[in-house]
C-alpha cells in the first residue's frame, strides 16, 4: 500500500526515464495535434457540440491518454504524487494567470519549482521523498490560494470599502464560536489553535496549572530538550556508521542501538507527562476560556450583521 501511495521515485532507472520520456513525448504530440477540438470542448462545450458531432471520439482520445499517463506513472511516483502533478500545478496556474498559454507555462514552472523544493526538503530533513513532494504541493497550493484570496479581497476593499470583508468576518466569527464550543464540550480532543497559542505564550496553559504542575512541566521540557539533543547526536553517529563514514565494532554498535532505543523511551515518557498536564489544563480551560471565546465569536457575528443591516438600510433612508 505504501509503494502504491508514494512510489519509489529515488530508485527510478535510466531505462524508466527513457521509456516514459518517449511515451510522454508521443502523448504530447497527439494532444498538440488535437489541441483545437480539445480546447473548444473544454472552453465552449455547447459551441463544440453544434460545430462537431464527434465529441465522444475526442472524449475517448482524452481519457485514453489520461489513463495511459496515470497507469504508467503510478508505479514510479505513486498515486498521491501523480495526482498532485495532474491537479495542483494546473489549479495554481488557473488562479494566478489568464489564457491557456500563460497557464501552461506557469503550471510547468510551478510544478518544476515545487518538485525541486520538495526534493531539497527531503534531502535536508531526511524525509520520504514522495510524501515530502506531496506535502510541498499542498503547501504551494495553500499559499497560492491565500495569495489569490488576498488579491481579490484588496480589490473588493478598494471598490466597496471595508464592508467588503464582512463575509470573511462572518466566517471568522463562526469559526471562533465553534472553537469555543468544542473546547467547552470536548476539552480532550485536539485543539491545534490552542496548542499553537500555548507554544507562543506558555502562560496560557500555566495559568491553569498548580504550582507543582508548572514545575513538573518545566522539568519535563528541560528533560525533553536534553534527550532530543542526545538523540540527535547518537542518530548522527549511527548514520555515519551505517554509511561507512565511521567504523565501529559490532558490540559498540549494539550498545549504540540500545542507547538510542532507551533514550527514545525516556523522551517519550517526558512527552507523556506534558500531554497529561495539558489534559489537566484543558479540563480547567474548558469553561474559563471556552465560554468567553464563544461569546467573542457571537459578538463578532452580531456586530457584522448589524453593520451590514445598517448599510443596506441607508440607501432606502436617503431615497425616502
Amino acid at each position: 500500500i505504501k509503494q502504491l501511495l508514494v512510489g519509489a521515485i529515488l530508485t527510478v532507472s535510466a531505462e524508466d526515464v527513457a521509456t516514459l520520456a518517449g511515451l510522454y513525448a508521443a502523448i504530447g504530440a497527439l494532444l498538440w495535434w488535437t489541441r483545437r477540438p480539445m480546447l473548444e470542448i473544454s472552453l465552449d462545450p455547447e459551441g463544440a457540440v453544434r460545430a462537431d458531432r464527434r465529441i465522444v471520439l475526442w472524449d475517448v482520445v482524452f481519457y485514453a491518454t489520461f489513463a495511459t499517463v496515470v497507469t504508467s506513472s503510478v508505479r514510479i511516483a505513486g498515486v498521491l504524487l501523480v495526482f498532485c502533478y495532474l491537479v495542483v500545478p494546473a489549479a495554481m496556474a488557473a488562479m494566478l494567470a489568464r489564457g491557456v498559454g500563460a497557464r501552461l507555462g506557469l503550471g510547468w514552472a510551478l510544478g518544476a519549482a515545487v518538485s525541486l523544493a520538495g526534493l531539497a526538503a527531503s534531502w535536508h530533513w531526511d524525509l520520504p521523498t514522495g510524501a515530502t513532494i506531496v506535502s510541498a504541493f499542498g503547501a504551494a497550493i495553500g499559499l497560492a490560494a491565500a495569495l489569490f484570496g488576498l488579491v481579490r479581497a484588496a480589490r473588493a476593499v478598494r471598490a466597496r470599502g471595508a464592508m467588503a470583508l464582512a463575509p470573511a468576518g462572518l466566517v471568522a466569527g463562526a469559526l471562533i464560536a465553534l472553537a469555543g464550543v468544542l473546547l467547552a464540550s470536548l476539552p480532550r480532543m485536539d485543539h491545534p489553535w490552542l496548542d499553537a497559542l500555548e507554544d507562543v505564550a506558555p502562560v496560557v496553559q500555566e495559568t491553569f496549572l498548580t504550582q507543582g504542575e508548572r514545575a513538573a512541566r518545566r522539568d519535563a521540557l528541560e528533560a525533553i530538550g536534553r534527550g532530543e539533543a542526545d538523540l540527535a547526536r547518537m542518530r548522527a553517529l549511527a548514520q555515519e556508521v551505517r554509511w561507512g563514514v565511521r567504523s565501529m565494532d559490532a558490540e559498540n554498535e549494539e550498545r549504540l542501538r540500545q542507547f538510542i532505543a532507551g533514550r527514545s523511551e525516556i523522551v517519550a515518557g517526558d512527552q507523556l507527562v506534558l500531554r497529561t498536564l495539558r489534559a489537566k489544563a484543558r479540563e480547567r480551560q474548558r469553561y474559563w476560556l471556552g465560554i468567553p471565546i464563544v461569546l467573542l465569536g457571537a459578538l463578532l457575528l452580531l456586530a457584522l450583521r448589524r453593520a451590514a443591516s445598517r448599510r443596506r438600510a441607508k440607501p432606502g433612508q436617503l431615497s425616502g
Side-chain angles (χ1 to χ4, degrees), residues 2 11 40 55 71 74 86 108 155 157 176 193 205 243 275 291:
K2 179 182 177 182
T11 60
E40 188 176 3
I55 302 298
T71 53
V74 164
L86 287 172
W108 291 333
R155 291 175 180 172
V157 169
I176 291 171
W193 63 273
Q205 183 181 119
W243 289 102
R275 289 194 295 271
I291 292 177

Side-chain angles (χ1 to χ4, degrees), residues 218-234:
R218 287 191 292 269
D219 291 342
L221 287 172
E222 292 176 0
I224 289 172
R226 291 192 301 270
E228 289 181 343
D230 291 340
L231 283 173
R233 289 194 299 271
M234 294 301 103

Side-chain angles (χ1 to χ4, degrees), residues 3-4 7-9 16 20 70-79 82:
Q3 174 73 17
L4 180 65
I9 199 169
D16 289 331
L20 290 179
V70 171
T71 53
S72 62
S73 305
V74 164
R75 178 178 61 85
I76 294 173
V79 172
V82 167

Side-chain angles (χ1 to χ4, degrees), residues 31 34 43 49 63 71 147 151 182 188 193 202 210 213-214 223 239 260 274-275:
L31 292 177
T34 60
L43 302 177
V49 171
Y63 286 111
T71 53
L147 178 61
V151 171
L182 291 176
R188 290 186 176 272
W193 63 273
T210 65
E213 290 168 346
R214 287 196 290 270
Q239 190 172 14
I260 292 174
L274 288 183
R275 289 194 295 271

